[in-house]
Amino acid sequence: MLSMPALCWLCRLPLRMTQHGLCSPCLRQLPALPLLCPRCGLPAGNVRHPCGRCLQKPPPWQALICVNSYRPPFSLWVNQLKFSRVTALRVMLARLLLLSWQNVYRRGDLPRPDLLLSVPLHRRRRWQRGYNQTDLLAAPLAHWLGCEWGTGLHRQRQGALQHQLSARQRRSNLRGAFRLEMAVRGRHIALLDDVVTTGSTSEEISRLLLAQGAASVQIWCLCRTL
Ligand SMILES: [Zn+2]
Ligand SMILES: [Zn+2]
């Protein structure tokens, strides 16, 4: 069988490291992020210490890792991931997420996760789409990290669409929306999502995991709306 050289997802030039998905010049040209608070992932004065908002009202998770804000080309990639299962795209995005996490991990403030969970879709939505786009990221990440990818987190209620609700309504809409069918006591968990907007979904799931004895929860997402 003829093997095709892998191409850079952006410039379509052949890649030397086929597993990378983007060539080094394209990787360097991706839009830069402002300084983000390590806890909530929103713009802040420095990347080492939680911002004023987090000091007053810390989110239940320990850290939020994002690849970038919700803007091109990232917003386009997130949408492509929802509607196509192209392997090269998901491996490229998973790798960008791994690199973002490694940048923070190297500073030494974060535990290495031993369990990956993806934010679940409701059964009906999953059936309509055929798959959960976040699972597509979890598989390569779990492989590279050598950790478990858990499938015991379920969404039992779809509820109203989150973006039509106020912050308070979002929280009550999500209460009891998730169910955990696996042991997480003592585990360091990375919770994967494609886009984090208000963080209410991540908050609800983090509380559930911590209430069940998880040692720590970090949120990993492709895009954080800033
Ligand atoms: Zn390129
Ligand atoms: Zn913060």
Side-chain angles (χ1 to χ4, degrees):
M1 202 171 83
L2 283 175
S3 65
M4 297 277 290
L7 304 178
C8 168
W9 193 263
L10 278 174
C11 68
R12 314 307 296 167
L13 288 174
L15 286 171
R16 257 188 303 165
M17 308 272 278
T18 53
Q19 77 276 27
H20 284 185
L22 287 177
C23 68
S24 325
C26 285
L27 198 55
R28 278 196 297 272
Q29 278 168 30
L30 290 175
L33 274 175
L35 299 181
L36 299 179
C37 164
R39 191 84 192 251
C40 65
L42 293 173
N46 73 82
V47 298
R48 293 304 300 259
H49 304 289
C51 69
R53 292 177 300 264
C54 288
L55 289 176
Q56 283 199 332
K57 196 168 175 281
W61 61 75
Q62 189 181 0
L64 188 143
I65 312 286
C66 67
V67 173
N68 216 290
S69 62
Y70 192 68
R71 60 178 162 183
F74 303 97
S75 49
L76 304 173
W77 290 339
V78 165
N79 278 308
Q80 284 174 327
L81 191 66
K82 270 185 191 157
F83 301 108
S84 97
R85 308 187 67 143
V86 181
T87 310
L89 175 68
R90 71 164 139 143
V91 173
M92 185 270 282
L93 291 175
R95 178 176 168 265
L96 289 179
L97 192 47
L98 184 73
L99 293 176
S100 306
W101 172 75
Q102 279 173 335
N103 278 338
V104 180
Y105 180 69
R106 279 196 205 103
R107 289 187 222 132
D109 307 330
L110 269 186
R112 186 186 176 91
D114 52 39
L115 175 63
L116 291 188
L117 292 173
S118 31
V119 169
L121 297 176
H122 186 263
R123 244 181 312 120
R124 197 174 328 116
R125 175 119 359 125
R126 193 193 154 98
W127 179 79
Q128 284 164 345
R129 195 174 288 159
Y131 61 94
N132 177 354
Q133 70 278 11
T134 312
D135 287 344
L136 300 183
L137 302 172
L141 285 168
H143 175 73
W144 294 327
L145 288 161
C147 73
E148 186 190 346
W149 166 31
T151 51
L153 180 63
H154 304 282
R155 188 170 194 131
Q156 47 194 3
R157 215 158 31 71
Q158 187 54 52
L161 285 175
Q162 287 289 99
H163 62 256
Q164 295 163 348
L165 305 175
S166 70
R168 184 189 297 253
Q169 286 171 327
R170 279 174 195 243
R171 279 193 296 275
S172 66
N173 183 43
L174 283 168
R175 206 153 294 142
F178 300 96
R179 191 179 74 247
L180 189 65
E181 286 177 358
M182 63 184 297
V184 295
R185 184 160 297 281
R187 310 290 301 266
H188 293 284
I189 299 173
L191 179 66
L192 289 175
D193 206 351
D194 52 357
V195 182
V196 170
T197 306
T198 61
S200 45
T201 302
S202 310
E203 247 180 74
E204 180 69 22
I205 298 176
S206 300
R207 289 214 175 86
L208 174 66
L209 296 170
L210 293 166
Q212 301 286 322
S216 69
V217 180
Q218 10 186 321
I219 312 298
W220 294 12
C221 61
L222 293 175
C223 297
R224 173 75 159 124
T225 51
L226 302 182

